Amino acid sequence: MKFLFKPRQPQLVAGDDIKLRYLGPSDAEAFRTHIHELHFEDFRDRFNGLVSDEWLDRYIARSLNQAIVIGAFADDHLVAVAELHTGGRIAAGQGESAFSVASDWRHKGLGTMLLKVLLRAASENDVATIIVETGAQNHAMKALARRFGARMQFAGDQSIGRINVADGLRLAARKMESAKFLAPAAVAEKTPSVSAPLI
């Protein structure tokens, strides 16, 4: 089994409200809480259906131990997660992605920021293609994948696309490197400090 390594410079401040960092086994409770805070439709889109708490706990443990997992925090609260999985049934040179964004933080650019970071992590782990698999009704995820070059195709009730990592990085480089994120009113205005940027 190949374990992915985390690229250097593991933190990023995105605007005034968001901090990105890599997640590890000690973040299991925060990850679990984040998933349970998703609205029903967003939970269903993330897992293409409903799953039990026992299944979710096993999934979180496996992801935090074997995959690259990047979390977006608003005032120390986990509001979005991106994952890159390899090995097993996934072909060599490919990685399977997964994203979840807190319902109140959707459509604020977090998915775009996380995908940029995931592309870099893929490149540094010799992953040439990122697979995006989502429910056919998850229009936001499909639009995000297309923004970075994926051609989405239907497979039953799923929509599957592949992002060429090199092409995705070139597309990301053409976009503005800084973005402002508008925080919901309930989020404090405190700006977290970090030691080094991720991108």
Side-chain angles (χ1 to χ4, degrees), residues 8-190:
R8 297 180 299 277
Q9 301 177 329
Q11 294 191 1
L12 163 71
V13 168
D16 294 331
D17 303 295
I18 294 296
K19 178 178 69 175
L20 303 188
R21 68 169 174 84
Y22 292 99
L23 305 185
S26 64
D27 296 299
E29 185 59 35
F31 196 175
R32 185 182 303 106
T33 299
H34 161 68
I35 293 297
H36 280 299
E37 288 176 347
L38 297 176
H39 293 173
F40 174 80
E41 293 81 4
D42 298 335
F43 185 100
R44 179 199 59 198
D45 287 348
R46 169 60 187 82
F47 294 103
N48 299 323
L50 301 180
V51 299
S52 68
D53 285 343
E54 291 78 10
W55 185 95
L56 183 61
D57 285 343
R58 291 194 298 271
Y59 175 86
I60 288 172
R62 184 173 66 251
S63 298
L64 293 176
N65 279 281
Q66 299 179 11
I68 283 181
V69 184
I70 303 162
F73 289 81
D75 196 26
D76 297 323
H77 187 75
L78 185 62
V79 296
V81 174
E83 307 160 43
L84 181 66
H85 299 263
T86 63
R89 62 182 177 80
I90 305 170
Q94 297 188 0
E96 206 168 82
S97 65
F99 296 84
S100 56
V101 178
S103 303
D104 291 338
W105 281 88
R106 291 172 65 97
H107 310 298
K108 298 181 185 297
L110 287 179
T112 298
M113 181 64 72
L114 286 168
L115 184 48
K116 287 181 181 180
V117 177
L118 211 63
L119 284 165
R120 177 176 149 181
S123 177
E124 296 194 12
N125 280 276
D126 298 321
V127 174
T129 303
I130 291 180
I131 301 168
V132 178
E133 182 175 348
T134 187
Q137 75 284 350
N138 193 346
H139 302 296
M141 188 65 245
K142 291 188 291 183
L144 175 62
R146 290 191 184 103
R147 200 172 303 141
F148 288 88
R151 297 185 64 181
M152 305 302 294
Q153 298 180 333
F154 290 104
D157 60 349
Q158 301 297 302
S159 187
I160 301 174
R162 287 171 170 78
I163 300 174
N164 180 286
V165 171
D167 291 344
L169 286 169
R170 281 192 288 269
L171 288 169
R174 295 174 189 167
K175 300 179 184 295
M176 294 180 62
E177 291 297 327
S178 61
K180 291 294 184 180
F181 296 94
L182 301 177
V187 176
E189 295 181 356
K190 177 183 176 183

